[in-house]
Amino acid sequence: MKLIILGAPGSGKGTSATVLREEYNLAHISTGDIFRANIKGNTPLGIEAKSYIDKGLLVPDSLTISMVEDRLSQDDCKAGYILDGFPRTIAQAEALDEMLAKQNTKIDAVLSIVVDDEEIKNRVAGRRVCEKCGASYNVVFKPTKVEGVCDLCGGVVYQREDDKPETVEARLKTYYKNTQPLIDFYNKKGIIVEGDNNKNPEVCIEQIKEGLKAKGLV
Ligand code: ADP
Ligand code: ZN
């Protein structure tokens, strides 16, 4: 099964993707995580990407698309995957269609995670992530057991530079301008499955599983 998970920054895409990848045994491809790993490793891609990410802007399509193409060609993607954070523009979605057509395959479903704007701003302000394993926490809704330490791996938990309030506004604007149009793009293909994440992740994931069942995918 090949899935895309779509939603505003802070909508809980990453959290839902982590649950679903276990449930359905999928490779989890988070472009944000790949960029952050490159930034940490000071690679040329990381240095270039950082200048955009820190401003709440999208990394240019050319860089992002070739990075994803490379990732999708790796062995662990053969059995199926969940794309988290890609595509984020119509150009990326079209490039993805082309990549997959070459391999005689296609995306089975696009999971659209829905959360109100006000709620998003609250959640992002409190978000903290583990430097080592990428696990996501929230100082209000889901604190770590020990302050600043990841429950899962003991890694250091920190606030992403782009989660500071000034940047969150810019990221939301970028989302509505560039990424929101993808909902319509995939709606036309009839492959959207919606999950409402205003209440809690369990409700959202249940809705998604039901939607996948209704489409005969699981
Ligand atoms: P979130 O979904 O919370 O905004 P991500 O971790 O998915 O965060 O992405 C962080 C940043 O990485 C984005 O704001 C953007 O600058 C960059 N990025 C991630 N994926 C893409 C993409 N597909 N195209 C362009 N930029 C991307
Ligand atoms: Zn961790």
Side-chain angles (χ1 to χ4, degrees):
M1 186 162 58
K2 298 186 176 72
L3 303 174
I4 291 170
I5 191 158
L6 263 184
S11 60
K13 287 191 303 288
T15 308
S16 306
T18 303
V19 174
L20 295 165
R21 82 170 173 217
E22 299 298 326
E23 180 88 20
Y24 301 123
N25 209 0
L26 305 167
H28 180 186
I29 301 168
S30 158
T31 43
D33 283 351
I34 303 176
F35 284 133
R36 280 185 288 279
N38 276 278
I39 291 171
K40 209 174 157 199
N42 244 317
T43 68
L45 173 65
I47 291 164
E48 168 121 44
K50 189 177 190 312
S51 62
Y52 298 95
I53 293 175
D54 285 353
K55 295 193 194 90
L57 300 172
L58 293 180
V59 178
D61 285 337
S62 56
L63 278 182
T64 308
I65 291 166
S66 57
M67 178 181 90
V68 170
E69 186 154 28
D70 182 63
R71 181 67 188 83
L72 291 183
S73 70
Q74 290 169 19
D75 270 352
D76 66 326
C77 290
K78 292 213 172 78
Y81 47 77
I82 182 160
L83 277 171
D84 169 3
F86 183 92
R88 254 180 159 97
T89 63
I90 296 281
Q92 289 179 14
E94 287 170 348
L96 178 65
D97 277 354
E98 275 171 39
M99 266 180 234
L100 296 182
K102 273 191 235 158
Q103 306 171 359
N104 263 318
T105 180
K106 60 177 174 40
I107 294 296
D108 296 297
V110 175
L111 317 178
S112 166
I113 310 288
V114 183
V115 180
D116 300 339
D117 251 23
E118 268 318 297
E119 182 64 21
I120 285 198
K121 287 179 200 162
N122 293 336
R123 287 186 195 179
V124 174
R127 174 157 69 179
R128 300 291 183 272
V129 288
C130 172
E131 192 180 78
K132 210 160 136 202
C133 77
S136 194
Y137 297 92
N138 188 292
V139 291
V140 182
F141 313 109
K142 192 192 167 197
T144 51
K145 291 198 184 87
V146 179
E147 203 186 317
V149 181
C150 177
D151 292 353
L152 300 177
C153 78
V156 174
V157 167
Y158 74 111
Q159 182 175 42
R160 277 166 44 180
E161 194 53 41
D162 63 343
D163 276 350
K164 311 253 156 90
E166 319 80 77
T167 320
V168 171
E169 283 291 338
R171 283 163 60 208
L172 278 172
K173 275 199 191 124
T174 303
Y175 174 77
Y176 288 114
K177 181 161 175 275
N178 297 291
T179 309
Q180 177 106 310
L182 290 177
I183 304 278
D184 199 42
F185 179 91
Y186 288 118
N187 229 337
K188 287 190 181 126
K189 296 181 192 273
I191 58 172
I192 297 255
V193 168
E194 209 173 88
D196 181 342
N197 201 20
N198 276 297
K199 288 194 198 77
N200 62 58
E202 289 75 25
V203 172
C204 177
I205 284 158
E206 231 11 79
Q207 281 179 6
I208 288 172
K209 285 191 195 164
E210 287 304 317
L212 292 172
K213 266 187 214 148
K215 289 199 167 330
L217 291 167
V218 296

